[in-house]
């Protein structure tokens, strides 16, 4: 009988507060305890990081549930080996050498501490750092209509998420307008009460400045596109 994978030795290890979900385990691979992983990005950093935090996939609570279940704590695993296999990842963990144990990990969501991400190049950015940034445009038509010069860009909105079209990343920007008399920015909503969005290609031709420290991105992109 295979020995279950336990959390007991990790009782004194605190879970980082900066975890980023990067993929999930889809099942066992082979007979030596390896697992197959579905990464959430084509250029995932999972293959470059040797400390992963696992947690069962969160399922929606039943409507009849009276009390929400307590979240299952994350489990720290040491990655022994990880490599790409087509568009998936294959990995083995220290202390896991049995297919049955590996199969028990199916469905586990994999997170990594942002502090453990490899250092990016000067002109590269991790998606997680771009989410939440405020986006301003210097599109000539916009600045003319708004009566502002290029030294005072117009608010486009806030980055909600990113996607990849196979060629480059795309910023999904929830539209906002500046508040009255310097007040808080106000969302632009559709008739159904949802955020209007602009889709800005994350390429040099349109993205002029990225200032992560101030959560500021300057682009050249029309407001009505």
């Amino acid at each position: 009988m295979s020995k279950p994978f336990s959390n007991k030795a990790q009782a004194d290890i605190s879970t980082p507060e900066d975890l980023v979900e990067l993929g999930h385990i889809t099942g066992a691979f082979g007979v030596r305890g390896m697992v197959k992983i579905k990464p959430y990005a084509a250029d995932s950093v999972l293959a470059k990081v040797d400390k992963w935090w696992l947690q069962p996939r969160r399922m929606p609570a039943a409507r009849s549930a009276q009390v929400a279940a307590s979240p299952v704590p994350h489990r720290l695993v040491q990655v022994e080996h990880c490599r790409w296999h087509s568009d998936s990842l294959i990995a083995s963990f220290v202390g896991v050498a049995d297919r049955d144990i590996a199969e028990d990990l199916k469905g586990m969501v994999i997170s990594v501490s942002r502090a453990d991400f490899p250092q990016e190049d000067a002109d590269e950015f991790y998606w997680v750092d771009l989410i939440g940034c405020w986006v301003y445009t210097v599109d000539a038509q916009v600045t003319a209509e708004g009566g502002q010069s290029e030294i005072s860009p117009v608010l486009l909105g806030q980055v909600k998420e990113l996607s990849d079209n196979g060629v480059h990343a795309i910023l999904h920007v929830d539209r906002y307008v500046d508040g009255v008399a310097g007040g808080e920015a106000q969302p632009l909503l559709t008739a159904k009460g949802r955020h209007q969005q602009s889709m800005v290609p994350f390429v040099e031709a349109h993205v002029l400045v990225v200032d992560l420290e101030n959560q500021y991105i300057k682009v050249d992109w029309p407001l009505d596109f």
Side-chain angles (χ1 to χ4, degrees):
M1 179 180 295
S2 59
K3 183 179 179 180
F5 198 43
S6 174
N7 260 355
K8 292 182 179 179
Q10 303 180 37
D12 297 329
I13 301 177
S14 58
T15 303
E17 297 182 356
D18 61 347
L19 292 181
V20 182
E21 292 185 4
L22 299 178
H24 66 270
I25 296 174
T26 59
F29 183 85
V31 297
R32 298 183 178 180
M34 301 185 77
V35 296
K36 190 173 183 179
I37 295 133
K38 171 64 177 177
Y40 295 156
D43 56 351
S44 177
V45 302
L46 282 174
K48 303 176 183 178
V49 180
D50 61 5
K51 288 191 296 185
W52 295 358
W53 294 83
L54 307 184
Q55 186 182 46
R57 185 190 297 272
R58 294 179 294 277
M59 302 299 292
R63 292 185 179 181
S64 59
Q66 299 298 315
V67 180
S70 299
V72 178
H74 285 83
R75 170 191 302 174
L76 174 63
V77 295
Q78 188 74 30
V79 180
E80 189 171 45
H81 175 76
C82 184
R83 62 179 172 82
W84 284 97
H85 180 74
S86 186
D87 58 351
S88 299
L89 287 167
I90 304 300
S92 60
F93 304 133
V94 174
V96 179
D98 182 279
R99 180 180 175 86
D100 291 339
I101 299 176
E103 192 63 37
D104 287 342
L105 299 177
K106 182 177 180 179
M108 288 283 189
V109 175
I110 304 169
S111 298
V112 169
S113 168
R114 175 62 183 86
D116 289 334
F117 279 34
Q119 180 65 45
E120 65 270 35
D121 294 334
D123 59 345
E124 295 182 342
F125 304 93
Y126 287 119
W127 287 11
V128 65
D129 296 333
L130 299 174
I131 294 172
C133 286
W134 290 96
V135 183
Y136 290 78
T137 182
V138 294
D139 175 66
Q141 182 179 358
V142 170
T143 54
E145 292 176 353
Q148 302 184 48
S149 67
E150 289 194 6
I151 61 173
S152 182
V154 177
L155 177 63
L156 182 65
Q158 187 176 39
V159 179
K160 171 69 173 180
E161 59 185 359
L162 289 92
S163 62
D164 193 323
N165 66 1
V167 179
H168 53 69
I170 298 174
L171 298 173
H172 295 238
V173 182
D174 280 349
R175 291 293 315 283
Y176 280 82
V177 293
D178 283 320
V180 178
E184 185 175 343
Q186 299 298 310
L188 287 179
L189 305 178
T190 67
K192 295 184 177 181
R194 299 175 181 174
H195 267 289
Q196 295 183 26
Q197 273 200 346
S198 288
M199 312 286 277
V200 183
F202 195 71
V203 295
E204 187 175 356
H206 299 298
V207 178
L208 309 178
V209 175
V210 177
D211 181 352
L212 294 180
E213 183 176 354
N214 294 299
Q215 288 199 304
Y216 171 85
I217 299 175
K218 183 165 70 173
V219 302
D220 185 350
W221 193 254
L223 278 175
D224 57 356
F225 191 80

